[in-house]
Amino acid sequence: MPRHRQEATLDSLVTRVPTHGQTKGEHILETLQSFAQATPAGTLLPSERALADHFHVSRMTVRGAVDELESKGFARRVPGRGTFVNHPQLTHSETFRSFSDDMRLRGLEPGSVGYRASTRRATRSIAASLGVEVGAETLHIERVRTADGEPMALERTNVSLERFPGLRSQMSPDQSLYDIIQRIYNIRLESARQRVSIVRLSAPDAVKLAVAEGEPAFLVERTALDNMGRVVEFGRSLYRGDRYAIEMHVGTPGARPLS
Amino acid sequence: MPRHRQEATLDSLVTRVPTHGQTKGEHILETLQSFAQATPAGTLLPSERALADHFHVSRMTVRGAVDELESKGFARRVPGRGTFVNHPQLTHSETFRSFSDDMRLRGLEPGSVGYRASTRRATRSIAASLGVEVGAETLHIERVRTADGEPMALERTNVSLERFPGLRSQMSPDQSLYDIIQRIYNIRLESARQRVSIVRLSAPDAVKLAVAEGEPAFLVERTALDNMGRVVEFGRSLYRGDRYAIEMHVGTPGARPLS
DNA sequence: CGCCTCTTCTGGTCTAGTCCAGTATCTCGA
DNA sequence: TCGAGATACTGGACTAGACCAGAAGAGGCG
């Protein structure tokens, strides 16, 4: 039966080779997500039954993948009509992004200046936040994160060197810490506790961010956890109040499909 | 087989009468959630198989309910061990709360002073945000929200009077707008787009919030949607930067069970 | 006493169906 | 021409099983 709206064909779904150790559901999710990202919003995805045939899995497995796709904001289900491609425009609160990904999502080019890394013994407060013992070796990284070349945030972060030996030499000034931890140690950072407050910038911090002393900024205190719930990183970042805004979608993701 | 840790018994799960029109999964979710709220964190829930027997449903149905329970932060699954009761401590980003609920969760008593409601014709920008026509009747509400009697936020909000006729007379200065809309019109506000930025307070706003002119504050611009994705409310609130902090958990909720 | 293996438990993933309520389109008759 | 059904579709909810890996008690053996 002819469908009037733009519809994705099954052929256009490049069935990639499953990555090692992946479940079928994860494989389908990744395939659908990369498809959705390369497709205009509002496109009708193949039906769940068709996808099940295409991937040679049961419909429940497809539903699991589409559930996640929807919760990430890349799809929107409409009962009786189908599932539509959606492009999440806001930082959907369910997904936790690195600075680099955050900037790219805003259409800005992430960068970094003034990178300084040092090995430090954990103080009591750092040890408590990081879940290590007082005096344990930690890597402290400070850098100014830029967006399109202009200072956006001053990032200070702490990672346990006992959990990530050799991280200091693997780390590169311009890259996302999360990407490196994921690539080298195969640990996915997938959730974080964050506390956002307002502070006025001290003179040295203001200089680094290229604004006047006393200007207000967001102080983001973040504890990032891996999929086992273990603390991976504890950091405090200062985001320029005149350039940065937190955009979020709380609750069910909900951009409606075109008409 | 004896279990050493504190474990919930099936008898303690009060199998309430299913509310009209509810699915089995929703019923199980509600039962488990109210149970979790009345139980110390770390308690071991009955296994999925036992719950399936207890509720006379298949395990997949139980899993669906526990999935949601976990995503709301009330449970934490541990493979091989079981599912543990969890009490979400931070504003979990998946749930969207009213000012009143937000304050109560922080252990503060919500209140309100300086309530002013007026009927206004929608300007172009309000009309666009609210999804009504220019000139349509809207209710504009301004009030200072207090926490333990002290000013916390200056709330300005707009609601369509065409969708909620008679809202003005139903509204009471001290109550949550969301509660009233839910009670009177049976519409659940379940998601919102929010944009949080930093502004310096103007002289009149500073007076209302009892702080000095020019002090920084959070500007929260919020568009609240109902379960159909229709705009219900559009508002701008100013939260005192010296009293308020945004606490959130992004990604998978993850307080680990006790040991 | 301590270690190691066996067994039983847990949640994680998946299958191959079922029935239902909406949506959209096609077709036929007034 | 236009509206009313019939029909073929969609996702939503659910069933009753399956197999797996990891966790943890239970016993036995050195």
Side-chain angles (χ1 to χ4, degrees):
Chain A
M1 295 303 102
R3 276 260 168 190
H4 288 161
R5 210 184 312 287
Q6 209 175 78
E7 179 174 2
T9 62
L10 286 168
D11 309 327
S12 55
L13 283 178
V14 186
T15 310
R16 304 161 315 130
V17 181
T19 315
H20 163 76
Q22 229 178 10
T23 64
K24 295 186 189 182
E26 280 169 15
H27 171 236
I28 296 171
L29 173 62
E30 287 192 13
T31 305
L32 291 180
Q33 180 167 331
S34 55
F35 174 79
Q37 283 168 320
T39 304
T43 308
L44 187 60
L45 283 175
S47 77
E48 296 178 355
R49 281 166 247 258
L51 289 170
D53 279 359
H54 179 77
F55 287 105
H56 307 294
V57 296
S58 80
R59 193 180 149 213
M60 284 297 276
T61 306
V62 170
R63 280 186 67 76
V66 178
D67 278 347
E68 265 203 66
L69 197 71
E70 191 183 22
S71 87
K72 285 189 176 190
F74 287 105
R76 170 142 185 99
R77 281 196 174 108
V78 182
R81 297 226 281 143
T83 303
F84 298 86
V85 168
N86 194 48
H87 290 168
Q89 287 139 356
L90 303 175
T91 302
H92 179 222
S93 50
E94 191 139 351
T95 1
F96 169 47
R97 294 178 218 284
S98 66
F99 179 87
S100 306
D101 286 347
D102 186 18
M103 288 307 119
R104 275 191 277 265
L105 213 78
R106 293 163 192 254
L108 301 170
E109 188 55 33
S112 176
V113 294
Y115 177 84
R116 282 185 5 181
S118 59
T119 306
R120 296 186 179 180
R121 301 257 162 217
T123 62
R124 205 163 54 225
S125 87
I126 294 286
S129 302
L130 221 46
V132 298
E133 291 182 359
V134 177
E137 285 218 318
T138 63
L139 181 65
H140 178 89
I141 296 171
E142 174 179 323
R143 51 181 171 171
V144 174
R145 306 306 306 260
T146 60
D148 284 355
E150 179 85 5
M152 174 68 95
L154 175 57
E155 190 181 278
R156 286 188 250 255
T157 190
N158 305 278
V159 192
S160 162
L161 275 175
E162 290 169 355
R163 259 201 87 186
F164 303 103
L167 178 60
R168 186 170 184 173
S169 55
Q170 296 288 348
M171 190 62 200
S172 93
D174 270 319
Q175 266 193 302
S176 160
L177 172 65
Y178 298 166
D179 279 356
I180 290 170
I181 288 181
Q182 170 149 12
R183 270 219 325 280
I184 313 283
Y185 303 91
N186 199 30
I187 286 171
R188 266 202 314 201
L189 286 279
E190 47 182 38
S191 77
R193 275 191 259 264
Q194 281 185 325
R195 186 187 152 89
V196 182
S197 52
I198 297 180
V199 294
R200 287 173 179 274
L201 291 171
S202 69
D205 288 352
V207 170
K208 289 170 184 159
L209 285 170
V211 296
E213 178 184 350
E215 281 294 301
F218 287 105
L219 168 63
V220 180
E221 295 169 286
R222 179 184 52 257
T223 306
L225 312 168
D226 66 12
N227 51 353
M228 300 295 289
R230 288 174 303 204
V231 176
V232 169
E233 178 229 4
F234 170 71
R236 291 174 209 267
S237 298
L238 291 163
Y239 284 76
R240 273 173 55 171
D242 61 329
R243 276 197 92 192
Y244 193 74
I246 300 167
E247 297 192 321
M248 55 184 175
H249 197 123
V250 287
T252 335
R256 51 239 147 272
L258 311 175
S259 172
Chain B
M1 297 302 103
R3 278 260 167 191
H4 288 160
R5 208 184 313 287
Q6 207 176 79
E7 180 175 2
T9 61
L10 285 168
D11 309 327
S12 55
L13 283 178
V14 186
T15 309
R16 303 162 316 129
V17 181
T19 315
H20 163 75
Q22 231 179 6
T23 64
K24 294 185 190 183
E26 280 169 14
H27 171 236
I28 296 170
L29 172 62
E30 287 192 12
T31 305
L32 292 179
Q33 179 166 330
S34 56
F35 175 79
Q37 282 168 321
T39 304
T43 309
L44 187 60
L45 283 175
S47 77
E48 297 177 354
R49 280 166 248 259
L51 289 170
D53 279 358
H54 179 78
F55 288 105
H56 307 293
V57 296
S58 80
R59 190 178 152 217
M60 286 299 274
T61 305
V62 169
R63 279 187 67 75
V66 178
D67 278 347
E68 264 202 68
L69 197 70
E70 191 183 23
S71 86
K72 284 189 176 190
F74 288 105
R76 170 138 185 103
R77 282 196 174 104
V78 183
R81 296 227 281 144
T83 303
F84 299 85
V85 168
N86 193 48
H87 290 168
Q89 287 140 357
L90 301 175
T91 300
H92 180 225
S93 50
E94 192 139 351
T95 2
F96 168 48
R97 293 179 219 285
S98 66
F99 178 88
S100 307
D101 286 348
D102 186 18
M103 289 307 119
R104 275 190 277 263
L105 213 78
R106 292 162 193 255
L108 301 170
E109 188 53 36
S112 176
V113 294
Y115 177 85
R116 281 187 4 181
S118 58
T119 307
R120 296 187 180 181
R121 301 257 160 216
T123 63
R124 207 163 57 224
S125 87
I126 293 288
S129 302
L130 221 46
V132 298
E133 292 183 359
V134 176
E137 285 219 318
T138 63
L139 181 64
H140 178 88
I141 297 170
E142 174 178 322
R143 51 183 171 171
V144 173
R145 305 306 306 258
T146 60
D148 283 355
E150 180 85 5
M152 173 68 95
L154 175 58
E155 191 181 278
R156 286 187 251 254
T157 192
N158 304 277
V159 192
S160 162
L161 275 175
E162 290 169 357
R163 260 199 87 187
F164 303 103
L167 178 60
R168 185 168 185 176
S169 55
Q170 296 288 349
M171 189 64 199
S172 92
D174 270 318
Q175 265 193 302
S176 160
L177 174 63
Y178 298 166
D179 279 356
I180 289 169
I181 287 179
Q182 170 149 13
R183 269 219 327 279
I184 313 282
Y185 303 92
N186 199 31
I187 286 172
R188 266 201 315 200
L189 286 279
E190 48 182 37
S191 78
R193 275 192 258 266
Q194 280 184 326
R195 184 188 154 89
V196 181
S197 52
I198 298 180
V199 294
R200 286 174 180 273
L201 291 171
S202 68
D205 288 351
V207 169
K208 288 171 184 159
L209 286 170
V211 295
E213 179 182 352
E215 281 295 300
F218 288 105
L219 169 62
V220 180
E221 295 169 285
R222 180 185 51 257
T223 306
L225 312 169
D226 66 13
N227 52 353
M228 299 296 287
R230 288 173 302 202
V231 175
V232 170
E233 178 230 3
F234 170 71
R236 292 174 207 266
S237 299
L238 292 163
Y239 284 76
R240 275 173 55 170
D242 61 329
R243 277 198 90 191
Y244 193 75
I246 300 167
E247 296 191 320
M248 55 183 174
H249 197 122
V250 286
T252 336
R256 53 241 147 272
L258 311 175
S259 173

